[in-house]
Amino acid sequence: MYELKDYLKAINETKMPLLDSDDITWEKKYPPYVINRCLSMFYDTLMSANEMNGYHFLSKKLQFHFLLNSVRKKKRFGGKWLSKSKINELEFVKNYYGYSNEKAREALTILSKKQIECIKQKLNTGGRKRWVMRLSGLQRIC
């Protein structure tokens, strides 16, 4: 019942003051850090989230009301977030083709699992750990 999506939907779309209800569990379950992290992914909510990170010592209710009243009503969070395995695959595609993050994400939608496995095999250098000598001493790569 007290899920992250409910808080985000209230801040972004419905503007319902969830923490003002008689149920005090809404305030206890409110995760300010996670909410600020989610809101910092968008350019129009970044400053509000950063402001709340600066005032982390305020009560959860005050933080929620600040975000509720300062963030414009807009539908956000329509796309899917990348899973851990997709992030690893993203790094392989970036290294193999020399793409940026955005181009590598687009390439991931086109590439098949077999092609991604082929890329992983070509980038595999073998061994347990790969060490490289730098000016400052030994540094581990990968």
Side-chain angles (χ1 to χ4, degrees):
M1 182 171 165
Y2 309 97
E3 296 183 17
L4 178 65
K5 66 179 179 179
D6 296 329
Y7 295 109
L8 289 171
K9 189 168 187 167
I11 291 170
N12 290 313
E13 295 176 40
T14 62
K15 300 296 183 183
M16 284 183 50
L18 298 176
L19 303 185
D20 288 342
S21 66
D22 294 333
D23 191 3
I24 60 169
T25 313
W26 279 109
E27 188 172 354
K28 286 183 180 179
K29 298 261 183 171
Y30 179 74
Y33 173 77
V34 177
I35 297 288
N36 291 339
R37 179 106 189 233
C38 292
L39 291 176
S40 67
M41 294 182 189
F42 300 96
Y43 69 92
D44 58 336
T45 57
L46 176 66
M47 296 306 289
S48 299
N50 190 34
E51 193 69 24
M52 279 301 94
N53 280 334
Y55 290 105
H56 60 88
F57 52 86
L58 293 177
S59 71
K60 293 179 179 182
K61 195 172 192 175
L62 283 175
Q63 290 186 39
F64 178 76
H65 279 289
F66 174 80
L67 293 172
L68 188 73
N69 294 313
S70 65
V71 172
R72 286 188 181 230
K73 194 174 186 178
K74 182 179 176 183
K75 186 168 183 157
R76 296 175 182 87
F77 305 105
K80 291 187 177 182
W81 294 354
L82 292 177
S83 64
K84 184 72 173 171
S85 62
K86 288 286 185 187
I87 291 174
N88 290 337
E89 292 173 357
L90 183 77
E91 291 300 319
F92 281 112
V93 171
K94 282 173 49 178
N95 289 338
Y96 188 75
Y97 291 112
Y99 285 166
S100 65
N101 284 335
E102 187 177 329
K103 285 187 179 183
R105 280 192 189 117
E106 291 176 18
L108 272 178
T109 61
I110 297 170
L111 294 171
S112 67
K113 294 281 183 193
K114 188 175 180 181
Q115 291 171 326
I116 292 172
E117 287 302 318
C118 181
I119 290 172
K120 286 181 182 179
Q121 288 176 357
K122 287 184 180 181
L123 290 177
N124 185 10
T125 57
R128 279 185 18 188
K129 295 178 185 170
R130 190 170 144 211
W131 296 87
V132 136
M133 185 63 119
R134 300 270 183 206
L135 292 176
S136 62
L138 290 175
Q139 291 181 341
R140 189 171 141 216
I141 295 188
C142 292

